[in-house]
Amino acid sequence: MKDKGLLIVLSGPSGVGKGTVRKAIFSEEDTNFEYSISMTTRLPREGEVNGVDYFFKSREEFESLIQQEKLLEYAEYVGNYYGTPVDYVRETLDSGKDVFLEIEVQGAQQVRKKFPDGLFIFLAPPSLSELENRIVTRGTESEDLIRNRMDEARKELEMMNLYDYVVENDKIELAVERIKAIVVAEHCRRERVQGRYIKMLEAGK
Ligand code: 5GP
């Protein structure tokens, strides 16, 4: 029997560039995980294609999917619903392929409860480390501005708690490289590998 695939969740604060990093990952030919296309009630933006970027749904359709428990998670974000189709995720994982979700933080929290052994990656804004520099070098910025940034940073640090890895989005190519390296490492984790050898030994006696 084939091993199940890995559920990879990329999340992080809004505006951090999750979508851009995800698109960069899937534009590379050697990416061998499957992107789970989300459902949303927001209108398509120019150039977006139904079934490629999202499955675009009406509010009624979306609410009926919630009722039928067809969503692994969902959240309301800036007045629109976003959610992950559960059947696609389960079927793809069962076929042994890795599934990649790019979702906002409330959704990631729900997924963590249902898939505690998923791989949760937090995409962090470079502003966190910039902030560190500014504080160390005491730049020319006003106290208020620094305080606002500190509050934001505090919130972001709190959000990080749920995740296994933190990737700073300083440069898209670097963030992509780090995410791919994390996935490779995760597949080599002892807890994930050992069961296969145990089964092999049992079969061979
Ligand atoms: P946008 O409207 O810019 O495409 O996406 C807005 C936000 O929704 C982004 O933070 C994106 O990561 C998030 N998002 C996209 N799909 C899903 C999903 O299926 N579930 C959740 N919870 N968030 C999603």
Side-chain angles (χ1 to χ4, degrees):
M1 206 180 92
K2 246 188 159 180
D3 277 345
K4 273 195 175 189
L6 182 64
L7 182 62
I8 306 156
V9 179
L10 180 70
S11 193
S14 80
V16 70
K18 298 184 287 289
T20 312
V21 169
R22 183 256 301 169
K23 280 184 193 136
I25 290 175
F26 284 93
S27 71
E28 294 192 353
E29 270 174 25
D30 64 343
T31 296
N32 54 6
F33 23 91
E34 309 294 313
Y35 176 55
S36 161
I37 301 165
S38 296
M39 317 235 172
T40 185
T41 58
R42 85 149 162 71
L43 294 173
R45 296 193 187 117
E46 206 176 312
E48 284 185 335
V49 177
N50 189 28
V52 175
D53 299 283
Y54 281 104
F55 295 106
F56 296 100
K57 302 280 171 195
S58 68
R59 264 191 108 76
E60 294 69 37
E61 285 171 323
F62 199 101
E63 281 167 358
S64 142
L65 290 167
I66 300 174
Q67 291 289 312
Q68 297 170 60
E69 300 187 347
K70 289 283 184 198
L71 301 173
L72 172 61
E73 60 73 35
Y74 70 93
E76 208 160 355
Y77 176 83
V78 213
N80 285 302
Y81 282 126
Y82 293 83
T84 303
V86 68
D87 291 347
Y88 173 81
V89 171
R90 292 202 187 275
E91 282 159 20
T92 312
L93 292 175
D94 286 347
S95 77
K97 290 184 193 140
D98 294 346
V99 175
F100 187 97
L101 310 183
E102 178 252 298
I103 58 179
E104 53 69 68
V105 288
Q106 304 166 62
Q109 250 164 8
Q110 299 168 39
V111 180
R112 179 106 237 185
K113 287 191 189 125
K114 293 186 180 163
F115 282 85
D117 64 344
L119 170 59
F120 291 77
I121 305 173
F122 185 82
L123 194 65
S127 57
L128 268 183
S129 49
E130 268 167 36
L131 182 66
E132 205 177 0
N133 286 337
R134 290 210 179 95
I135 288 166
V136 171
T137 57
R138 291 282 162 195
T140 52
E141 266 148 45
S142 74
E143 289 284 310
D144 267 2
L145 198 62
I146 295 260
R147 201 167 311 115
N148 281 344
R149 292 228 176 101
M150 298 274 281
D151 287 346
E152 273 308 302
R154 225 168 262 130
K155 274 189 227 146
E156 278 157 12
L157 276 175
E158 229 164 79
M159 277 183 211
M160 254 181 220
N161 281 333
L162 172 90
Y163 299 81
D164 305 304
Y165 292 89
V166 176
V167 167
E168 192 179 311
N169 190 15
D170 46 359
K171 256 190 145 184
I172 295 165
E173 312 86 78
L174 292 180
V176 168
E177 220 171 87
R178 291 176 194 131
I179 291 168
K180 288 185 146 186
I182 290 168
V183 174
V184 171
E186 192 65 20
H187 274 289
C188 301
R189 197 191 269 280
R190 196 248 316 144
E191 297 91 314
R192 295 197 192 273
V193 176
Q194 205 168 23
R196 220 168 58 222
Y197 290 108
I198 292 172
K199 271 189 214 146
M200 179 192 79
L201 284 178
E202 280 169 356
K205 290 277 187 271

